[in-house]
Amino acid sequence: MLEILYQDEYIIAINKPSGLLVHKSFYARDAKVFAIQELRNQIGGQHVYPIHRLDRKTSGVLLFALDAAVLKIMNDRFATREVEKKYLAILRGWSPEELTIDYDLTNDDGIIQNAITYFHRLQSTEIELEFNNKPTSRYCLVEAIPETGRMHQLRKHFKHIFHPILGSRPHGCNKQNKLWLENFELKGMMLHAHQLIFNHPITNEQLILNAKINEEFSRVGTILNLDLNKYEIAMTEAVANTNKDLAIPYSYKK
């Protein structure tokens, strides 16, 4: 059963598990299960329209429309950047405390697209894990806010600044991924869409949807001695709290 974060007659949001595709894809023809069909079956066969996408290995808030008119409204709001998406990621090394990455990306058709990501570092850690002839390894937890929505944008941007997301393939560090696979049996990617902020397409009421991190992300956080409890705010608590500063106390505000 998919965890439903929010549902009314117009939209529905789930906490997508890592490893689940949103829909059929040429790049993952081995997949037999998809979020669209699972959600449709779960709510009695009603058609659902994905408003945005998450990578197969990315977990977190995924929003659907329940009719084509609402889909168009929300697609327009995503296009005009009226929706704020926030991700948690565990990176290799200690990143800058905050940075805006403005680095163009090339899509599968060879078209160069502007891509912008803001992030800030939440926590830093160092553990006894030998790597490259050094006795310890450094990592950090960041919150990332992509201003554009290019394919694999966060993975590519963090690799570009030499702080790849742990477990990312192919846009990661193969040696680190192998190290974690051998030592900790890590097969997932440490990227989680933990928050989506937008105005309801019909009522225009602000919604703040939070998705708790999954067990694998939590397990890696424990290995790294990261305090992840503060980022597990229940959606109902956040929506009930009309004070945005209290609903998302750890989030960056421009």
Side-chain angles (χ1 to χ4, degrees):
M1 295 288 288
L2 296 169
E3 179 189 359
I4 295 178
L5 303 175
Y6 179 90
Q7 181 178 5
D8 61 25
E9 60 185 300
Y10 306 105
I11 57 175
I12 185 169
I14 65 169
N15 185 358
K16 187 188 84 68
S18 174
L20 180 65
L21 278 174
V22 176
H23 51 66
K24 291 182 179 179
S25 170
F26 172 81
Y27 300 100
R29 286 170 286 182
D30 62 310
K32 305 297 182 184
V33 181
F34 311 94
I36 288 178
Q37 73 179 42
E38 291 298 301
L39 182 57
R40 184 177 65 235
N41 294 340
Q42 190 168 321
I43 63 174
Q46 184 176 2
H47 195 78
V48 296
Y49 303 82
I51 295 171
H52 61 122
R53 305 290 189 270
L54 291 178
D55 294 346
R56 184 177 189 175
K57 286 190 173 184
T58 304
S59 58
V61 185
L62 182 62
L63 186 64
F64 297 83
L66 295 177
D67 64 56
V70 170
L71 175 65
K72 184 181 186 308
I73 292 172
M74 291 306 302
N75 279 343
D76 290 343
R77 291 188 180 180
F78 269 87
T80 54
R81 303 180 186 180
E82 297 176 61
V83 178
E84 190 166 39
K85 300 172 288 183
K86 299 185 179 184
Y87 293 76
L88 294 174
I90 297 175
L91 309 182
R92 170 75 180 103
W94 291 353
S95 72
E97 288 195 9
E98 64 176 328
L99 185 68
T100 296
I101 306 172
D102 188 346
Y103 178 69
D104 294 350
L105 300 175
T106 304
N107 67 14
D108 290 343
D109 296 322
I111 298 174
I112 298 176
Q113 300 174 306
N114 176 242
I116 301 173
T117 300
Y118 167 82
F119 76 89
H120 62 130
R121 175 157 47 94
L122 301 170
Q123 298 178 45
S124 301
T125 185
E126 186 170 5
I127 63 171
E128 294 182 0
L129 182 63
E130 186 176 349
F131 183 69
N132 280 349
N133 297 319
K134 295 182 180 179
T136 62
S137 295
R138 291 180 172 182
Y139 303 91
C140 65
L141 176 73
V142 301
E143 182 180 62
I145 305 173
E147 294 188 13
T148 51
R150 311 308 181 193
M151 185 174 180
H152 296 166
Q153 176 174 318
L154 295 181
R155 296 204 260 172
K156 291 178 179 179
H157 270 178
F158 284 123
K159 182 179 181 180
H160 173 68
I161 65 167
F162 305 106
H163 291 287
I165 297 172
L166 187 61
S168 175
R169 300 176 180 84
H171 309 293
C173 175
N174 291 334
K175 291 182 178 179
Q176 272 287 313
N177 292 341
K178 181 180 179 182
L179 181 71
W180 274 76
L181 178 62
E182 292 175 347
N183 285 272
F184 305 111
E185 299 182 349
L186 177 64
K187 297 180 181 179
M189 179 175 63
M190 297 299 100
L191 180 62
H192 177 70
H194 79 111
Q195 192 172 85
L196 198 66
I197 303 173
F198 62 98
N199 287 347
H200 191 280
I202 304 302
T203 68
N204 212 38
E205 174 190 7
Q206 186 189 64
L207 295 178
I208 304 172
L209 305 185
N210 293 277
K212 291 185 178 181
I213 59 176
N214 58 47
E215 290 182 5
E216 185 74 334
F217 202 113
S218 180
R219 182 177 74 91
V220 172
T222 299
I223 293 170
L224 294 174
N225 300 313
L226 294 171
D227 179 10
L228 299 180
N229 291 330
K230 65 178 71 176
Y231 313 114
E232 293 187 335
I233 301 176
M235 183 277 296
T236 52
E237 294 177 354
V239 173
N241 192 334
T242 56
N243 187 324
K244 186 176 179 181
D245 288 336
L246 293 178
I248 43 175
Y250 51 87
S251 299
Y252 168 75
K253 297 176 178 60
K254 294 181 181 179

